[in-house]
């Protein structure tokens, strides 16, 4: 079956999740990946959205973080202060799934501004839950489209802490959780080097060259000793994802953004 | 004790120029009808507080009602930017907009602390990030037992909180159900509050002793405003009008299209 | 993920000598059956934590299971003193009992902070009173914005929390309803937890999306223990046995009467 | 109608409450007084118990602070942390109704120990909610049986702050709420002197002499310039109280303590 690079990215991200995970899910790419995992190999995965919905099983992807579908299919819905105090800060989440406008080699993310904070070129939405998701979850998976604009050598603003601007600040500042361990793009999958904490490419999606990855990365990207080829999406994965997207588009009365 | 008001009376009486106003709602139960009445009554110099400013705040900002925004995520969810907010921030139109920017965890804790009558909120947050460098309202305090550095921000204590809920009884007790966000906290943290509801009933008919209820004496004004959350939604009453959220992107991109739409649909429309 | 256990298996596996144990319940849903199993399995040197230690803790203390009590109100509600607790404090029988004493506000905040993963709780309390003079676990911290002095105490993080609830489903998700006290916080604050329930059902049949629920993965063991809160009560199942609370006053006044009663009704009784 | 001194005390306390009050109610004498007010002249009074029950209307008096009756008849029931954070500390209570084992002339209360804290003669139940009720409610009413043992010159332990050991500490320590304004016993009613903050007798219950009050007070008790006689319980008050007590005794399967 043919598939798009966006589909490859979502499928690769979904595969990283398991039945035992308790995921704090952001809207957009993370939400698609988490729900695809739930609809394929990880039916028992626990998905939590910051709107307060716990163990939710939406039939369609939410357009916003507080869609009615999330509450209707949840085990329980708690207040937002409780969500951030008891559930996120309480350390009950194994995986936080984030995206952003910019990421650097150490998995730090920017979703605040492009340009100077006080005179921004582009005013982005801001942190939302991301700042504390990045430090309170057991580990962080990042999913983002790869380009020189988004994979940058230096963030304009550090909204969510990865391993810090030099790769050591996270541990040095006493943050106990692992931080970013996995970054999945439409070109490849990267994992965090255990020593330097820098993201290293360990798997290229089918048909993607190292050169392409280099051209779309704002820093000098490293490759693992053995770079694998990501297995392409199988029929079950693609059908589940396309069904989900079709249901979502029908429910929202519009074509989904992806 | 909450009194029953019409929407125009409630806004006239409880919302003043220069107020710190929190109109809350986390995708769900966003108080559009009340916010539109604030626009119609031409309030100015408001400090708008909300975790997730979206279309309603875009409208208020675009109409020049606000001079400051306290927030943690500003966007049209699943669609894109808030063009009116961006133009106010990036180009000062129609008036400059000052930002007091936080993370969700910070604001959720600050509402909680406000409801709890505390001067500030303590939480584990902001470590290693840039927001504390640009926002002087973020400080750090050591736990006196472990020495761990915790973040602290001032609690949110709005002059007036405005929310929408499912129903109220004739005494003014209010039921909120579904995604309850920080609405209860916003009302309890505020000096005054307006709650618009889908319906006013004889008996709330609570199905659980632990339902989310605002007792009458914690609310200043209860207003019957059926459909008052549209194009947002009300659990048990109507669904979100997602098509409108997409449509807003086009309406709001251009100043004139925006002003025309507001004129036709808000300022000249009946409350 | 919560696993289903028998009561004796759950206590054998999750409660160890020397543990900090919180068996919570605010008049309602006091986990008597589980507490009695702890007595039968002869746990020792426990630090017992509870806002309102009553008959169950009197029994544990009188049987010598505890060396320390963390509490904010100790009594037989509406009846009088806890004679076994008083004898342990006043005369060291059967073993001396150390006290770590707080107010309700302090303990409620400390459970909340424990559930929230914080090292300590901040609240407005203890001003002008004598408890801070006798309890070194009470400190004061200034709000970094207003300078107001707030009380701080360490959060409660029990080794194991034990509570009783109405029901669980087969995945181990738990519903608590009615007077919910600090039970949810106690479980979320603890490293391990045992939840006894009136019944295990296929579907919790929640009547409200905002019901008080402990999801399966937050609980270590779920145990079917119908009547497990008696002589306390379970909202929707059975009423409080007030007569027994009065009777306890006589049973517990005298060491021997107490020991005989415990022998006949707990240690030699089947779980 | 004949009546007991305990009945006079409860009736006098009930009369101090109005429809507009939001009362934080302790078990025992306060609970009887607050519910008597609700069943007579103040049907709209809002009663809150620290177990989390808001605007409760029990048909019988609770034996314990968390009786099922309180939840069954409440508008809503919240968790105990919420009760102490949003409702009590949040400043939403107009009147806290307290009792204790000892009270001094400035309305400070002891419910912790008689004797030394570490080697007590009598170990009392402890603070419960009282410590923060005393400082967070708009004002405090105290109801206690009067005797030299309970109305003392010097508390063995200060559990709940009145106006402080010298009458000035409350204000000096920045507590903004009024503190104790009214003390009702089985002999008389006292109010707090606006200047010295000392409790002053303003009304003697029928048949009680000044001498009797002096004999049952551990400090040199002052009397107001015009001491009134408390109006005796009327028929409606007595019937409501006795009905309440009878229902309570029947419900609890025992004779009520009072």
């Amino acid at each position: 079956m043919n598939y798009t690079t966006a589909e490859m990215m979502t499928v690769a991200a979904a595969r990283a999740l398991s039945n035992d995970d308790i995921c704090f899910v952001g809207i957009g790419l993370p939400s698609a990946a988490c729900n695809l995992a739930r609809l394929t190999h990880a039916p028992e995965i626990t998905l939590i959205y910051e709107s307060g919905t716990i163990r939710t099983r939406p039939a369609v992807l939410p357009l916003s973080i507080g869609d009615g579908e999330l509450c209707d299919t949840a085990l329980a819905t708690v207040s937002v202060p409780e969500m951030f105090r008891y559930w996120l800060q309480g350390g009950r989440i194994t995986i936080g799934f984030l995206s952003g406008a910019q990421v650097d080699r150490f998995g730090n993310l920017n979703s605040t501004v492009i340009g100077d904070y006080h005179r921004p070129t582009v005013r982005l939405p801001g942190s939302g839950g991301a700042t504390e998701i990045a430090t309170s979850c057991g580990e962080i998976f990042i999913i983002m489209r790869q380009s020189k604009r988004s994979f940058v050598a230096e963030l304009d603003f550090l909204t969510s802490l990865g391993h810090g601007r030099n790769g050591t600040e996270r541990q040095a500042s006493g943050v106990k959780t692992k931080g970013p361990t996995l970054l999945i793009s439409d070109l490849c999958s990267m994992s965090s080097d255990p020593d330097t904490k820098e993201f290293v490419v360990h798997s290229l999606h089918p048909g993607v060259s190292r050169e392409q990855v280099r051209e779309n990365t704002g820093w000098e990207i490293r490759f693992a000793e053995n770079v694998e080829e990501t297995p392409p999406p199988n029929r079950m994965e693609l059908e589940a994802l396309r069904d989900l997207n079709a249901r979502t588009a029908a429910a929202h009365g519009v074509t989904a953004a992806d | 004790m909450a009194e029953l008001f019409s929407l125009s009376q409630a806004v006239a009486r409880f919302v003043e120029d220069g107020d710190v106003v929190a109109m809350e709602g986390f995708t769900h139960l966003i108080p559009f009808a009340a916010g539109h009445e604030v626009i119609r009554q031409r309030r100015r110099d408001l400090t708008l507080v909300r975790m997730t400013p979206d279309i309603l705040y875009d409208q208020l900002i675009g109409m020049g009602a606000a001079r400051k925004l306290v927030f943690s995520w500003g966007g049209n969810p699943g669609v894109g930017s808030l063009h009116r907010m961006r133009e106010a921030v990036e180009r000062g139109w129609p008036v400059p907009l000052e930002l007091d920017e936080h993370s969700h965890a910070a604001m959720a804790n600050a509402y909680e602390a406000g409801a709890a009558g505390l001067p500030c909120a303590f939480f584990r947050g902001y470590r290693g990030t840039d927001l504390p460098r640009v926002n002087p309202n973020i400080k750090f305090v050591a736990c006196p037992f472990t020495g761990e550095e915790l973040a602290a921000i001032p609690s949110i204590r709005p002059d007036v909180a405005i929310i929408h809920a499912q129903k109220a009884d004739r005494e003014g007790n209010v039921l909120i159900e579904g995604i309850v966000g920080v609405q209860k906290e916003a009302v309890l943290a505020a000096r005054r509050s307006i709650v618009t509801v889908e319906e006013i009933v004889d008996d709330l008919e609570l199905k659980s002793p632990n339902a989310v209820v605002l007792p009458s004496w914690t609310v200043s004004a209860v207003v019957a405003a059926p459909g008052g959350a549209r194009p947002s939604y009300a659990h048990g009453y109507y669904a979100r009008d997602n098509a409108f959220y997409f449509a807003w992107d086009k309406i709001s991109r251009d100043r004139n299209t925006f002003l025309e739409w507001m004129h036709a649909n808000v300022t000249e429309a009946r409350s």
Side-chain angles (χ1 to χ4, degrees), chain A, chain B:
Chain A
M1 282 172 92
N2 287 327
Y3 55 90
T4 67
T5 54
E7 286 171 338
M8 178 72 256
M9 170 167 62
T10 301
V11 166
R15 287 174 186 158
L17 299 167
S18 79
N19 263 337
D20 294 336
D21 284 321
I22 318 292
C23 274
F24 208 86
V25 186
I27 284 297
L29 295 171
S31 180
C34 290
N35 281 291
L36 179 60
R38 184 177 59 80
L39 294 168
T40 53
H41 64 282
E44 293 307 317
I45 191 171
T46 297
L47 304 185
I48 296 184
Y49 288 71
E50 65 193 17
S51 54
T53 49
I54 295 175
R55 197 165 174 76
T56 180
R57 294 160 156 141
V60 303
L61 295 175
L63 183 65
S64 174
I65 198 83
D67 274 19
E69 176 78 5
L70 295 174
C71 177
D72 293 342
T73 63
L75 171 63
T77 299
V78 301
S79 75
V80 165
E82 177 176 328
M83 176 49 65
F84 280 94
R85 285 178 76 80
Y86 290 3
W87 300 88
L88 182 62
Q89 183 177 268
R92 254 165 284 282
I93 316 288
T94 62
I95 293 174
F97 225 121
L98 292 174
S99 193
Q102 294 180 329
V103 64
D104 69 15
R105 74 181 71 194
F106 296 116
N108 304 295
L109 291 165
N110 174 17
S111 53
T112 305
V113 288
I114 305 297
D116 177 69
Y117 180 78
H118 295 287
R119 297 182 168 280
T121 317
V122 183
R123 174 65 239 191
L124 300 164
S127 161
T131 298
E132 282 75 21
I133 291 172
T135 50
S136 292
C137 296
E139 59 189 306
I140 297 297
F141 292 174
I142 300 170
I143 179 167
M144 276 172 72
R145 283 206 185 69
Q146 193 159 356
S147 76
K148 276 217 156 113
R149 272 180 54 207
S150 56
F151 283 52
V152 299
E154 185 100 32
L155 299 180
D156 290 32
F157 194 92
L158 198 160
T159 311
S160 307
L161 181 67
H163 299 287
R165 283 189 164 100
N166 56 18
T168 61
E169 284 167 271
R170 184 184 188 90
Q171 274 189 297
S173 68
V175 178
K176 300 271 195 295
T177 49
K178 278 189 199 165
T181 52
L182 190 65
L183 193 167
I184 287 161
S185 78
D186 47 348
L187 302 181
C188 62
S189 297
M190 307 184 192
S191 39
S192 187
D193 181 293
D195 298 323
T196 67
K197 302 297 181 189
E198 190 176 337
F199 271 125
V200 174
V201 177
H202 69 258
S203 186
L204 291 166
H205 299 340
V208 175
S209 70
R210 293 185 178 215
E211 199 43 41
Q212 246 179 301
V213 172
R214 279 194 199 95
E215 279 167 8
N216 285 287
T217 308
W219 67 86
E220 212 166 303
I221 185 79
R222 286 174 49 207
F223 292 83
E225 267 186 46
N226 298 306
V227 176
E228 295 170 7
E229 183 178 278
T230 314
N234 63 35
R235 176 176 299 271
M236 183 197 70
E237 290 167 332
L238 273 183
E239 283 178 355
L241 178 56
R242 288 171 185 177
D243 285 354
L244 176 62
N245 282 335
R247 283 199 302 276
T248 300
H252 295 174
V254 288
T255 310
D258 287 281
Chain B
M1 235 24 142
E3 286 181 64
L4 299 185
F5 284 87
S6 73
L7 185 51
S8 61
Q9 286 170 334
V11 169
R13 175 140 169 205
F14 293 110
V15 186
E16 294 170 22
D17 283 356
D19 270 357
V20 176
V21 184
M23 304 184 198
E24 273 295 348
F26 213 86
T27 308
H28 182 212
L29 292 175
I30 298 169
F32 272 92
H36 287 172
E37 183 61 25
V38 170
I39 291 171
R40 276 191 293 273
Q41 295 194 18
R42 301 180 60 78
R43 289 292 175 285
R44 286 295 176 268
D45 295 322
L46 302 178
T47 292
L48 293 178
V49 185
R50 189 160 160 216
M51 292 182 67
T52 54
D54 68 348
I55 292 181
L56 177 59
Y57 272 31
D58 211 32
Q59 295 171 342
L60 281 150
I61 290 164
M63 295 301 282
R67 62 169 186 79
K68 184 173 174 183
L69 177 67
V70 184
F71 79 113
S72 42
W73 191 91
N76 183 345
V79 178
S81 291
L82 294 177
H83 302 294
R84 296 299 99 220
M85 173 186 156
R86 278 184 61 176
E87 193 157 13
V89 172
E90 295 167 12
R91 285 188 285 279
W93 188 90
V95 285
L97 185 70
E98 189 189 335
L99 297 183
D100 178 3
E101 182 168 7
H102 291 280
S103 66
H104 273 359
M107 283 195 73
N109 275 287
Y111 272 118
E112 203 271 351
L118 290 173
C120 66
F122 300 93
F123 61 105
R124 183 179 293 111
Y126 282 133
R127 283 202 204 161
T129 66
D130 285 348
L131 262 181
R133 299 178 198 198
V134 297
N135 188 338
N137 277 332
I138 300 169
K139 299 195 176 185
F140 293 87
V141 171
C143 163
F145 302 99
T146 63
E148 183 184 353
E149 291 280 321
L150 299 172
I153 70 165
S155 60
I156 296 173
R157 308 296 304 260
D159 293 308
V160 54
I162 302 178
I163 67 164
H164 187 73
Q166 273 90 352
K167 50 189 176 178
D169 64 21
R170 288 176 208 288
E171 278 186 9
N173 302 298
V174 172
L175 169 70
I176 317 173
E177 203 170 49
I179 290 177
V180 295
V182 292
Q183 284 101 300
K184 178 171 165 177
E185 286 75 14
V187 167
L188 295 182
R191 288 180 184 79
R192 309 184 289 275
S193 55
I194 299 173
V195 181
T196 58
V197 293
E198 286 301 319
E199 53 178 337
I200 291 173
V201 296
D202 290 327
D203 183 339
L204 290 177
E205 290 178 352
L206 302 176
K207 295 189 189 73
S208 157
N210 309 114
V212 181
V213 170
L214 283 166
S216 176
W217 91 95
T218 65
V219 174
S220 311
V222 167
V223 174
R230 291 185 196 277
S232 158
Y233 73 103
H235 178 100
Y237 290 84
Y238 46 87
R240 192 168 189 261
D241 182 358
N242 285 321
F244 181 79
Y245 281 79
F246 281 100
W248 183 252
D249 194 66
K250 285 201 191 88
I251 295 166
S252 62
R253 258 177 210 276
D254 175 81
R255 291 181 190 179
N256 290 329
T257 324
F258 163 74
L259 289 172
E260 278 163 27
W261 190 94
M262 291 300 291
H263 187 74
N265 293 281
V266 177
T267 52
E268 292 302 302
R270 302 259 164 150
S271 68

